[in-house]
Amino acid sequence: MRASPRCGARTRHGETCRAPALRGKVRCRMHGGAWGSGAPFGNGNAVKHGFFTTEAIEERKFVRTVLTEAEAFLRKLPAGSLPSGRPDASGTPRGAPGTDSPPQHLTKAGK
């Protein structure tokens, strides 16, 4: 056991690891000599996700300015200028989508 080669890894104190290296390896089982130990192939930590790319940052700035301008425009409008969704006498909202039938006063059934 004493004659076996030692692990070449450095500890936090700057000394070498005193554990024996695995057979045919330069490191011990705790410092990467074991099968499956160590970092995976291909640096997965360096994969770009695209959130901080120049295009994504510019797009977020553009959307932010459009929303700010739209909010400022809506605040300038008078209170009653937008059509309300209140129903008329027939009970259907004025200008509601999907109301293709003409008003009752224009049909034969309404007369």
Side-chain angles (χ1 to χ4, degrees):
M1 183 71 172
R2 289 185 185 200
S4 61
R6 298 293 154 178
C7 176
R10 294 276 177 188
T11 63
R12 292 180 183 174
H13 295 294
E15 303 168 355
T16 57
C17 175
R18 295 180 183 168
L22 292 176
R23 189 176 314 138
K25 306 276 185 172
V26 218
R27 302 282 185 235
C28 67
R29 62 185 174 84
M30 296 169 284
H31 290 115
W35 184 85
S37 64
F41 289 107
N43 189 356
N45 292 330
V47 174
K48 300 287 183 185
H49 48 71
F51 190 74
F52 293 105
T53 59
T54 306
E55 294 84 17
I57 292 170
E58 292 298 322
E59 183 179 3
R60 288 194 299 272
K61 282 182 184 177
F62 175 73
V63 169
R64 206 175 306 126
T65 56
V66 167
L67 288 175
T68 304
E69 290 172 3
E71 185 179 353
F73 175 74
L74 289 174
R75 288 185 192 278
K76 289 179 185 177
L77 288 178
S81 65
L82 291 177
S84 65
R86 288 188 229 145
D88 58 3
S90 67
T92 59
R94 285 178 270 157
T99 55
D100 295 335
S101 59
Q104 287 184 348
H105 67 280
L106 296 178
T107 61
K108 292 180 184 179
K111 289 184 180 182

